[in-house]
Amino acid sequence: MNTVQINGLADSLMVALVGIAVVFFGLVILIVLIKAMGALTGGMGKKAEKAVAPAAAPAIAPVAAVPAVESLIKPDAKIKSAKIDAETIAVLTAAIAATRGEGYPFKIRRIVRVKKG
């Protein structure tokens, strides 16, 4: 081998090692900074939690009577022809109602099975 090739290989290895060392040094600095920020902010939150005396369990408000699911579900002919049972329709209706929240009336007009692919 030529001395120029050996020197070039040594220089390449030195550059690679210095680059790796710089990256790991930067990672160590980031870890130290994150731990320090966690100690500063996390310590304050824990002190505040300890300072507050545990309160009595909140009283649970009585749930208003919910109309029967069957009265909420009035499946159209399309839904019945899709061979979807009433329990599945009830679950879908409950999921939509929970997602939308109170005060947003809706009506399920059709349920379509989506093919994967």
Side-chain angles (χ1 to χ4, degrees):
M1 282 172 83
N2 193 338
T3 58
V4 174
Q5 289 176 340
I6 293 173
N7 287 339
L9 180 64
D11 289 342
S12 298
L13 287 175
M14 185 58 74
V15 169
L17 289 175
V18 169
I20 291 170
V22 167
V23 168
F24 279 108
F25 182 70
L27 288 173
V28 168
I29 290 174
L30 282 175
I31 290 170
V32 169
L33 288 174
I34 290 171
K35 295 266 186 188
M37 292 295 291
L40 290 174
T41 59
M44 286 188 274
K46 290 180 182 176
K47 289 178 185 174
E49 288 176 8
K50 290 179 183 177
V52 176
I60 299 174
V63 178
V66 179
V69 174
E70 294 298 325
S71 66
L72 294 174
I73 302 171
K74 297 177 183 173
D76 293 340
K78 292 179 184 178
I79 294 176
K80 286 189 177 184
S81 67
K83 297 182 182 176
I84 298 175
D85 60 338
E87 184 177 340
T88 304
I89 296 171
V91 169
L92 292 172
T93 304
I96 294 169
T99 302
R100 293 185 64 145
E102 293 183 25
Y104 296 99
F106 64 94
K107 180 178 181 181
I108 297 177
R109 297 182 188 265
R110 64 182 172 158
I111 298 174
V112 179
R113 186 177 304 267
V114 178
K115 294 181 182 179
K116 293 182 182 179

